[in-house]
Every structure is written in C-alpha cells, then in structure tokens.
C-alpha cells in the first residue's frame, strides 16, 4: 500500500515514515550529484549562499538525459548516493530533509539523518524511462556549465519511492537482505 | 582487400549507440522474466515487473532505458584485408559516438581529465579495444558501460594455491560488497587468467556474451551455474531491498596464465547490460 507524501517535507512527516514504506511523492524537488555537491559545499565553506533555500527540501541524486523534442525531461533514474556522502551531513545541518537515490550511505550520513530527523528514499535504479514519466516540469536553476550535473528544479507527481533509512536509523538494505539470505 | 568508407563507420556507430541504449537486449529481457517468476520477495517481484515496464517505455519512445548511457566501450575486430578510406578508424568511431550521443539525446557522461573534471559534452573519447584478425570484415561491438556498476568491480591477484575456492570467495565478496549500488539484478563478467590487464579485459568481454549462454568449456559452464546459485543466496535481491534475484547471469572467460599467478577480475554490470554488434 503506497502512501502519498508531498515535497518539501516537514519534520513531522519525516518522523512518521518507516524504512520499507512505499510512498508516492509529489511536489518540488532539486537534482544534485557529484559536481553540484562539491560546488555547494565549497560555496558554504567560503561563506556564500546555496543556489536554493534548502530548508525542508529534497535532493534527488540524478543526472538526467537531455529531453527529446516534445518531452519534459530525458530518462532520469537515481545515481549511486554514496558518492556524495562526504558532503551530505553539512547539507542536512543546513535543513535538507530528504534524499532520493540508490545504494548504501556511510555511517556518518546515517547518524546525520537521525540527528536532523531526515529521510533517505530509494528510487528504482535503471528505470530511468519510468521515472521520467513522473516529472511534470523541469528547469535548470544553477550550475548550467555542469551539463547533466547542473541543479534542476523538478516538479514531480506520484514518484514511486521506498523509504530506505528512516529517522530512527533503520536501514532497509540491512533488514531486507537478512530476510532472504540463505548462504 | 575491401575498402570501407569513414562515413559509413561513423553512421553505423551512431546508430549502434542509440540502439544499445534504448532497446533492452532480448536475452536480458528473457532472464528478467524468468527471474520474476521465481523471485520470492513480493517487493522484488514488483521491481522486476517495473524493469520490464521501463524497457517497454524506452523501446516505444526510443529513449534510454537508464539515464546513465555510459562510457562507450568498443571491441573491434579488424580484418587484415580491410582498408579504411577517408580517415582513421579510431576517429571514425569517436565521430560515431559524438553523433549517436547527440542525435539520440543520450547523456554525455565523460570528463576530459580524471582529476580536473570538465565534461567533454559529447561523450568522447570512447574506450576502444582492437583485435587484428584474418579476412576482410570489420566487426564492431559497442557496450556502453554505466558506472554505478563499474565502480563496484574489482581485481585480485590470487595465488595458484587459492584455486577455484579462492575464485568463488573473491566473486562472492565482491558482489556482497557491491550490494544495492550497481542496481541489482546484476550481470557478472569474470575474467580468469592472463596478466593483470588481460583478466580485466576478459571480464569486460564476458559482459558482451549472451546472458542465456554458458562457457563452451563444461568445467567453466558449471562454475558459472554454481556461482549464480550462490550469488542469489546472498539475499541482496532486486535493488538491494532483499530477495532471491541478485544476479541474472554469470559469464566467465579465461586465458592461459603464468606459473606464479591466478589473476581474477570481476566486472559488474546492471540489469541493462548493453551491447550491440555490427559487421561491415
């Protein structure tokens, strides 16, 4: 059974989500991957402002394909989240509430997720054409020079996600695997 | 002696890049469908169904199956009696990649330098492996490689005394460590033997083999089956959320090696496992 949630996320909604929950997300989210994260952190370190107000927002780790004529966006499935682990605690501290990606997070990120009552959700990796159907609007709002790695503002509707790490620190990758391990 | 025009290679390569990225190979599709029937996790079953639905949308709209349209890897067999007219073969392949990734709205994922990371904006250069063979044919295979799975690949120089148990242990350790990162269900390419770089090349080549076939040597065919069974007992499952489908196929390729060595390379691929071959 899927639960509908909307972005930006409130702390209350985050706390009500549990690892393993299937959700359908609608609202505004921001894209960011390796190069954009590096630049955002360098900006913060030099005393600058982030290119968008990150309070209660969700970052989707994705580098979309270019849109074909007549399409809103190209294929846009999640990229491996672990590559931005180094930068994530600082963004959570600034108010980031949700992350969408795929793959394991570092113990530091899990701790920061707990501390700031945030949530890490997984999208289906390799299902980029399916994910593109959930994007109803998109625009590049920063770092255009980074090509696919620029920060896009996406409006999504009913994006199917699974809660991987919740505010309690539960991790679906651990519990799911244990359940089916037979070696 | 056969003459092949530069432009013909460019156009063929461009089409191949688009085809490989938008159309899921039939062997992989069959493997996913078969796994879906056996998958014990309801969540896993649902994900496998969504992967098929995703492939259908991609084929219908001719958009990439996955947004990571990869670094373009080529295996090229050049007949000794082939003459390329109008430019070099390497330039023709790179021009084809440039054209295919632009015309096909594929993602440009290549940076010019590994440390000073500026995107080349046309997905070149490609990684090209040449083999000179007899005859007057030019056989081109493109295998666009995504890096979610490439990053989880590994090489180990085992000792001859480690034997087959050492190989099995290393493969399982690598897959377990990869976990959810390479978008399971995975396809596992394994290269055993040769030298350090030869083992890696064999592992990459193994990923271009039909996922429903086995090594022609019975010993290695059995090892492929044993490894697939063991990998699917790790519990990782589709997307790493738990289940009995962690890998769709294990492909092993081997080469003679040195008396002192047992190189083993494990190249992990995601469920997309793209490869297209054309003969000119």
């Amino acid at each position: 059974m899927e639960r509908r949630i909307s972005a930006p996320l409130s702390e209350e909604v985050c706390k009500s989500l549990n690892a393993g929950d299937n959700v359908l997300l609608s609202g505004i989210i921001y894209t960011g991957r390796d190069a954009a994260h590096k630049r955002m952190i360098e900006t913060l370190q030099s005393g600058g402002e982030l290119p968008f107000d990150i309070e209660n927002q969700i970052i989707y780790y994705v580098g979309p394909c270019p849109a074909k004529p007549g399409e809103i966006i190209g294929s846009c499935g999640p990229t491996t989240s672990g590559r931005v682990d180094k930068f994530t605690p600082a963004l959570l501290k600034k108010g980031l509430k949700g992350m969408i990606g795929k793959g394991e997070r570092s113990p530091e990120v899990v701790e920061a997720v707990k501390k700031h009552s945030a949530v890490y959700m997984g999208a289906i990796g390799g299902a980029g054409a399916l994910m593109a159907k959930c994007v109803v609007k998109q625009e590049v709002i920063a770092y255009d020079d980074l090509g696919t790695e620029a920060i896009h503002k996406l409006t999504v509707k009913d994006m199917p996600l699974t809660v991987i790490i919740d505010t309690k620190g539960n991790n679906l990758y651990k519990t799911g695997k244990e359940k089916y391990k037979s070696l | 002696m056969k003459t092949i025009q530069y432009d013909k290679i460019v156009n063929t390569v461009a089409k191949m890049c688009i085809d490989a990225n938008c159309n899921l190979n039939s062997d992989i599709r069959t493997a996913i469908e078969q796994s879906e029937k056996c998958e014990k996790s309801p969540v896993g079953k649902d994900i496998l169904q969504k992967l098929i639905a995703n492939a259908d949308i991609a084929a219908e709209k001719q958009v990439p199956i996955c947004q990571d349209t990869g670094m373009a890897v080529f295996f090229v067999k050049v007949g000794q009696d082939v003459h390329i007219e109008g430019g070099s073969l390497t330039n023709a392949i790179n021009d084809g990649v440039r054209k295919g990734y632009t015309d096909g709205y594929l993602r440009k994922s290549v940076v010019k330098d590994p440390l000073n990371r500026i995107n080349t904006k046309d997905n070149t250069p490609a990684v090209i492996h040449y083999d000179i063979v007899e005859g007057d044919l030019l056989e081109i295979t493109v295998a666009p490689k995504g890096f979610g799975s490439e990053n989880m690949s590994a090489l180990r120089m085992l000792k001859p005394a480690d034997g087959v148990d050492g190989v099995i242990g290393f493969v399982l350790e690598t897959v377990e460590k990869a976990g959810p990162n390479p978008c399971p269900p995975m396809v596992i390419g394994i290269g055993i033997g040769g030298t350090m770089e030869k083992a890696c090349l064999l592992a990459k080549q193994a990923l271009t083999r039909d996922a429903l076939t086995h090594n022609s040597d019975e010993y290695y065919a059995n090892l492929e089956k044993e490894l697939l069974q063991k990998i699917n007992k790790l519990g990782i499952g589709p997307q790493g959320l738990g289940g009995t489908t962690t890998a769709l196929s294990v492909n092993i390729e081997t080469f003679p090696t040195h008396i002192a060595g047992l190189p083993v390379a494990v190249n992990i691929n995601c469920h997309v496992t793209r490869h297209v071959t054309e003969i000119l």
Side-chain angles (χ1 to χ4, degrees), chain B residues 143-272:
Chain B
K145 188 68 177 75
F147 262 56
S149 52
E150 192 74 352
N151 283 338
M152 305 319 291
S153 304
L155 167 82
R156 190 168 292 168
M157 304 303 281
L158 294 177
K159 296 180 182 71
D162 293 329
V164 69
D165 290 340
V167 172
I168 293 171
F170 174 54
V171 173
L172 292 177
E173 179 193 317
T174 305
V175 172
E176 184 138 42
K177 201 172 158 196
N181 290 17
C183 301
M186 321 170 198
V187 172
I188 316 287
I190 301 172
I192 309 176
T195 48
M196 186 186 88
E197 86 286 3
K198 181 68 179 176
C200 291
L201 205 52
L202 289 169
K204 182 74 77 201
Q205 253 167 334
L207 292 173
T208 64
R209 207 176 81 203
D210 187 312
L212 303 173
T213 62
H214 283 290
N215 192 298
S216 56
D217 180 312
E218 199 186 337
Y219 177 81
Y220 287 102
N222 287 332
L223 184 56
E224 288 174 346
K225 290 173 197 166
E226 183 185 346
L227 277 167
L228 183 62
Q229 263 188 1
K230 288 198 158 101
I231 287 168
N232 283 333
K233 285 182 178 173
L234 290 173
I236 297 166
Q239 296 297 313
L241 302 183
T244 51
T245 312
T246 297
L248 297 170
S249 176
V250 174
N251 293 355
I252 300 174
E253 295 296 332
T254 66
F255 196 81
T257 190
H258 190 277
I259 48 172
L262 176 52
V264 183
V266 181
N267 199 182
I268 296 182
N269 220 346
C270 62
H271 88 273
V272 186

Side-chain angles (χ1 to χ4, degrees), chain A residues 129-155:
Chain A
L130 200 66
M131 299 305 288
K133 289 185 87 174
C134 305
V135 178
V136 294
K137 201 176 156 196
Q138 73 107 357
E139 60 175 316
V140 172
I141 59 149
Y143 310 160
D144 200 13
D145 60 299
L146 296 180
T148 184
E149 295 205 67
I151 295 182
H152 300 64
K153 183 179 178 182
L154 306 182
T155 307

Side-chain angles (χ1 to χ4, degrees), chain B residues 68-80:
Chain B
D68 185 354
T69 49
M71 190 159 191
V73 176
F74 286 83
F75 288 99
V76 184
K77 287 184 187 163
V78 188
Q80 293 181 127

Side-chain angles (χ1 to χ4, degrees), chain B residues 13-245:
Chain B
V13 165
K15 266 194 211 136
M16 289 167 72
C17 291
I18 297 170
D19 182 23
N21 274 298
C22 300
N23 302 306
L24 188 68
N25 279 343
S26 63
D27 57 332
I28 299 292
R29 191 188 178 96
T30 304
I32 297 174
E33 284 169 350
Q34 284 171 356
S35 298
E36 190 270 333
K37 289 194 188 92
C38 312
E39 176 57 55
K40 288 192 178 135
S41 152
V43 175
K45 228 177 169 52
D46 180 58
I47 290 166
L48 295 173
Q49 286 164 4
K50 285 196 171 120
L51 293 182
I52 293 291
N54 180 69
D56 288 340
I57 297 168
E60 188 203 320
K61 290 187 158 185
Q62 284 299 289
V63 296
I65 303 160
C66 174
Q67 76 291 336
D68 185 354
T69 49
M71 190 159 191
V73 176
F74 286 83
F75 288 99
V76 184
K77 287 184 187 163
V78 188
Q80 293 181 127
D81 301 327
V82 171
H83 171 65
I84 315 285
E85 199 171 80
S88 84
L89 179 54
T90 298
N91 287 347
I93 290 172
N94 278 313
D95 273 347
V97 168
R98 196 171 281 124
K99 182 172 165 51
Y101 275 73
T102 306
D103 294 356
Y105 297 90
L106 308 179
R107 196 178 80 180
K108 288 78 181 172
S109 311
V110 175
V111 291
K112 196 176 175 185
D113 180 280
L115 290 177
N116 301 304
R117 306 178 69 89
I118 309 289
N119 197 306
T120 63
K121 301 269 172 99
D122 61 10
N123 221 53
T124 65
V127 174
I128 311 170
H129 306 289
Y130 290 108
D131 194 6
I132 310 294
V133 297
E134 280 184 25
D136 63 356
L137 297 177
L138 176 65
E139 184 189 299
I140 304 174
T141 297
V142 64
K145 188 68 177 75
F147 262 56
S149 52
E150 192 74 352
N151 283 338
M152 305 319 291
S153 304
L155 167 82
R156 190 168 292 168
M157 304 303 281
L158 294 177
K159 296 180 182 71
D162 293 329
V164 69
D165 290 340
V167 172
I168 293 171
F170 174 54
V171 173
L172 292 177
E173 179 193 317
T174 305
V175 172
E176 184 138 42
K177 201 172 158 196
N181 290 17
C183 301
M186 321 170 198
V187 172
I188 316 287
I190 301 172
I192 309 176
T195 48
M196 186 186 88
E197 86 286 3
K198 181 68 179 176
C200 291
L201 205 52
L202 289 169
K204 182 74 77 201
Q205 253 167 334
L207 292 173
T208 64
R209 207 176 81 203
D210 187 312
L212 303 173
T213 62
H214 283 290
N215 192 298
S216 56
D217 180 312
E218 199 186 337
Y219 177 81
Y220 287 102
N222 287 332
L223 184 56
E224 288 174 346
K225 290 173 197 166
E226 183 185 346
L227 277 167
L228 183 62
Q229 263 188 1
K230 288 198 158 101
I231 287 168
N232 283 333
K233 285 182 178 173
L234 290 173
I236 297 166
Q239 296 297 313
L241 302 183
T244 51
T245 312

Side-chain angles (χ1 to χ4, degrees), chain A residues 25-122:
Chain A
L25 175 75
S26 298
I28 287 168
I29 62 176
Y30 296 88
T31 72
R33 43 174 295 154
D34 311 52
H37 271 75
K38 184 167 182 273
R39 202 176 282 184
M40 282 194 286
I41 295 302
E42 283 167 0
T43 302
L44 286 177
Q45 282 167 350
S46 61
E49 289 288 316
L50 292 177
F52 62 98
D53 180 4
I54 202 166
E55 185 81 35
N56 294 338
Q57 299 298 340
I58 297 176
I59 293 181
Y60 180 21
Y61 305 135
V62 59
C65 283
K68 279 182 121 171
E71 301 281 346
I72 293 162
I73 196 167
S75 295
C76 55
T79 193
T80 311
S81 314
R83 291 195 315 271
V84 299
D85 279 354
K86 190 178 155 188
F87 308 117
T88 300
L91 296 180
L92 287 165
K93 199 177 166 192
K94 291 290 285 182
L96 177 72
K97 271 283 173 279
M99 296 150 287
I100 302 169
K102 53 131 174 151
E104 297 280 9
R105 307 309 301 261
S106 67
E108 292 78 14
V109 170
V110 178
E111 272 315 301
V113 163
K114 279 162 70 177
K115 187 176 171 192
H116 301 288
S117 295
V119 64
Y120 171 52
M121 297 173 282

